[in-house]
């Protein structure tokens, strides 16, 4: 790839991401508020239900919830929002030829950005529990961003492409994401899951990812088996996503 | 001088009507799905061969549904042929069509930036040309309004202005003049004439025989996806 192409790709990504922010939130300040309010709201609900009503025995449960909900929100927004990233840009797809895989990419980058700027909120909670982020973060955080980004992008490419051909797919995605949310240890711990069902939770590609985000936020550490697994999952998802995109994108303009 | 800008070689384009068959069918009855898909195929372009020289203005005429817009989509590269080959040579402007182009929620100005960058301009180049584009469009203060508030003529103005300012080598025009007022139509035709002089290739679709003959060097007549004739205008 030469310099000119790189500059083109860079400009394209910036202008598409900016557009994404503009179109979705009208302005970016409110977008920030939403990206924080939403997981916090869920944290409060789960805290009430599981800690206060059901009396779950997890230490520092609010921290536990938050450290899982924020990364989950990134993934989940990228996938459900990503589903519309081609359909929502129908006019561009129909009239101009350009690498269309940049459209869901812009969406995922936008969600990634919102996740990153919400990390200070997580830090505030940590401090509240007298925990201090260690220097490990400087290495582990970027390391974690990679598989999370790849898996979010892979899935959103996949669903965005399918969504053009099957409009009912959008509703199925919502359903699947809800299912996956409950199959991911976001508000419970892996150790709670009966042996019989452990595999069900473990083959979920988001499990090692969320578990590791929590490990990082709460214990300044990473589990390397889980890390390797999440890299593996994310690459598989990305490869599938791209294959489906490549096969379907030929007919995007006429079906959209 | 007689370089080829566009070359169609036995091109066929088939449309499948996917949307009538859902995801459920694909999962539950994959075989029936394939059969249905084949049954609902429509041959929009059938075995078409022609070439357009660099700097030539080529007209496409024919009744509604004869495949004119499909040919433009194929040239632009947004549609892919099912059979045959298409070769193009040079930077292609966005397809100029009726109806909402661009992104409805963005302002005219933002759409200009978005479109120009997608088409390969750098940010600096866009900034340099911005005033010129806005002036050509004569949109005035409307350029800072979201384009969902535009009339169809205003959309056409915006589309045409962007397309002609990205230094295209191939310009594809699909009936957009029809919604422009007289003043703007004249401006567009003048611009196309000057483009022609500068070696820009134009493919022009219109139902107005007058306009086609005024602008084009050669005119192709289509019917039901077949090329009936190509004549000198
Ligand atoms: N996206 C699409 N999906 C399915 N069929 C399509 C699609 N676009 C066009 N067609 C069909 O292909 C044929 C050719 O359409 P096309 O739009 O190329 O005609 P046209 O010559 O531009 O007509 P008009 O003068 O009305 O603009 C028509 O029968 C139309 O129904
Ligand atoms: Mg048409």
């Amino acid at each position: 790839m030469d310099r000119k192409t790189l500059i083109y790709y860079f400009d394209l990504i910036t202008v598409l991401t900016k557009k994404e922010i503009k179109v979705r939130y009208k302005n970016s300040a409110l977008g920030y508020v939403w990206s924080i309010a939403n997981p916090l709201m869920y944290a409060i609900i789960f805290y009430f239900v599981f800690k206060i009503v059901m009396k779950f025995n997890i230490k520092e449960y609010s921290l536990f919830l938050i450290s899982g909900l924020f990364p989950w929100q990134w993934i989940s927004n990228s996938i459900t929002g990503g589903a519309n990233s081609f359909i929502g840009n129908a006019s561009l797809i129909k009239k101009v030829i350009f690498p269309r895989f940049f459209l869901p990419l812009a969406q995922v980058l936008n969600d990634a950005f919102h996740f990153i700027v919400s990390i200070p909120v997580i830090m505030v909670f940590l401090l509240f529990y007298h925990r201090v982020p260690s220097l490990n973060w400087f290495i582990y955080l970027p390391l974690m961003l990679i598989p999370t980004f790849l898996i979010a992008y892979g899935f959103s490419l996949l669903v965005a492409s399918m969504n053009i051909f099957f409009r009912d797919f959008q509703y199925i995605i919502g359903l699947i994401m809800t299912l996956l949310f409950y199959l991911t240890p976001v508000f419970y711990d892996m150790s709670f899951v009966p042996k019989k069902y452990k595999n069900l939770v473990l083959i979920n590609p988001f499990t090692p990812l969320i578990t590791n985000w929590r490990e990082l936020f709460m214990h300044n550490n990473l589990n390397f088996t889980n890390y390797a697994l999440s890299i593996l999952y994310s690459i598989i998802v990305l490869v599938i996503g791209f294959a489906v995109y490549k096969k379907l994108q030929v007919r995007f303009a006429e079906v959209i | 001088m007689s370089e080829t800008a566009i070359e169609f070689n036995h091109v066929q384009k088939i449309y499948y009507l996917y949307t009538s068959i859902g995801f459920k069918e694909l999962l539950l009855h994959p075989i029936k799905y394939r059969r249905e898909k084949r049954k609902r195929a429509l041959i929009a372009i059938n075995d078409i061969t022609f070439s357009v020289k660099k700097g030539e203005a080529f007209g496409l005429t024919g009744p509604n549904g004869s495949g004119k817009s499909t040919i433009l989509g194929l040239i632009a590269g947004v549609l892919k042929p099912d059979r045959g080959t298409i070769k193009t040579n040079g930077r292609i402007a966005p397809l100029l069509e009726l109806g909402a182009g661009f992104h409805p929620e963005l302002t005219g100005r933002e759409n200009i930036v978005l479109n120009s960058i997608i088409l390969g301009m750098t940010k600096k180049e866009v900034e340099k040309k911005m005033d010129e584009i806005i002036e050509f469009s004569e949109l005035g203060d409307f350029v800072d309004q979201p384009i969902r508030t535009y009339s169809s003529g205003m959309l056409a103005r915006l589309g045409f202005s962007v397309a002609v300012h990205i230094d295209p080598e191939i310009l594809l025009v699909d009936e957009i003049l029809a919604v422009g007022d007289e003043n703007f139509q004249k401006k567009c035709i003048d611009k196309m004439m000057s483009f022609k002089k500068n070696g820009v290739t134009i493919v022009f679709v219109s139902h107005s025989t007058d306009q086609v003959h005024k602008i084009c060097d050669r005119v192709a007549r289509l019917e039901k996806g077949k090329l009936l004739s190509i004549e000198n205008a």
Side-chain angles (χ1 to χ4, degrees), chain A residues 62-234:
Chain A
S62 61
L63 200 54
F64 182 93
L65 281 171
I66 280 167
S67 58
L69 279 166
F70 274 88
W72 174 265
Q73 149 124 340
W74 170 13
I75 296 170
S76 152
N77 276 357
S78 291
I79 297 174
T80 45
N84 287 318
S85 57
F86 290 138
I87 291 181
N89 290 293
S91 52
L92 284 181
I93 287 179
K94 271 198 277 198
K95 297 199 177 151
V96 215
I97 186 74
F98 68 104
R100 280 92 168 241
F101 60 79
F102 276 107
L103 290 168
L105 185 62
Q107 164 94 29
V108 177
L109 281 176
N110 180 25
D111 290 321
F113 173 75
H114 277 135
F115 169 70
I116 291 170
V117 294
S118 67
I119 290 177
V121 177
I122 302 175
M123 285 166 132
V124 169
F125 270 84
L126 286 172
L127 292 175
F128 190 75
Y129 280 88
H130 305 292
R131 287 168 183 273
V132 198
S134 78
L135 284 176
N136 285 351
W137 280 40
F138 283 107
I139 303 160
Y140 289 164
L141 201 91
L143 273 182
M144 282 306 293
L145 291 175
I146 297 167
T148 318
F149 171 77
L150 293 180
I151 208 165
Y153 182 43
F155 269 116
S156 74
L157 251 183
L158 178 73
V159 297
S161 307
M162 310 259 308
N163 206 15
I164 293 185
F165 289 81
F166 313 101
R167 293 299 162 93
D168 38 357
F169 195 64
Q170 204 173 330
Y171 305 104
I172 304 172
I173 296 162
L175 221 66
I176 293 176
M177 286 316 288
T178 310
L179 184 75
L180 281 174
F181 176 75
Y182 288 100
L183 282 179
T184 310
V186 179
F187 63 89
Y188 56 85
D189 191 76
M190 259 327 267
S191 61
F192 287 28
V193 183
K195 244 206 172 90
K196 219 165 85 185
Y197 298 104
K198 266 215 161 85
N199 284 339
L200 195 64
V201 179
L202 274 176
I203 55 161
N204 172 358
F206 303 125
T207 298
L209 207 58
I210 295 295
T211 317
N212 246 345
W213 272 114
R214 176 170 292 137
E215 188 69 18
L216 171 61
F217 287 138
M218 291 185 69
H219 308 295
N220 296 327
N221 201 359
L222 284 189
N223 173 313
F224 279 89
T225 321
N226 274 340
Y227 189 75
L229 257 181
S230 51
I231 288 281
L232 181 72
Y233 281 145
S234 65

Side-chain angles (χ1 to χ4, degrees), chain A residues 254-255, chain B residues 15-17 42 44 62-70 175 207:
Chain A
E254 62 202 73
V255 181
Chain B
Y15 286 120
Y16 298 100
L17 304 176
L42 182 138
N64 294 135
S66 54
K68 305 181 294 294
S69 302
T70 304
E175 288 180 63
H207 289 292

Side-chain angles (χ1 to χ4, degrees), chain A residues 8 11-12 19 22 26 88-89 91 93-97 162 166 168-169 172 250-251 253-255, chain B residues 13-16 18 23 26 76-78 80 82 95 97 100 102-103 105-106 110 114 117-119 123:
Chain A
Y8 170 63
D11 280 351
L12 194 55
K19 179 199 101 36
K22 170 95 206 278
K26 304 289 187 247
N89 290 293
S91 52
I93 287 179
K94 271 198 277 198
K95 297 199 177 151
V96 215
I97 186 74
M162 310 259 308
F166 313 101
D168 38 357
F169 195 64
I172 304 172
V250 182
R251 292 192 179 275
E254 62 202 73
V255 181
Chain B
K13 176 69 199 169
I14 303 175
Y15 286 120
Y16 298 100
Y18 289 93
F23 188 63
L26 175 68
V78 292
K80 294 278 179 289
D82 290 277
L95 242 165
E97 284 180 322
F102 308 114
H103 202 289
E105 286 301 326
L106 300 181
E110 288 163 339
L114 181 63
I117 284 182
I118 285 180
L119 287 159
K123 278 223 173 80

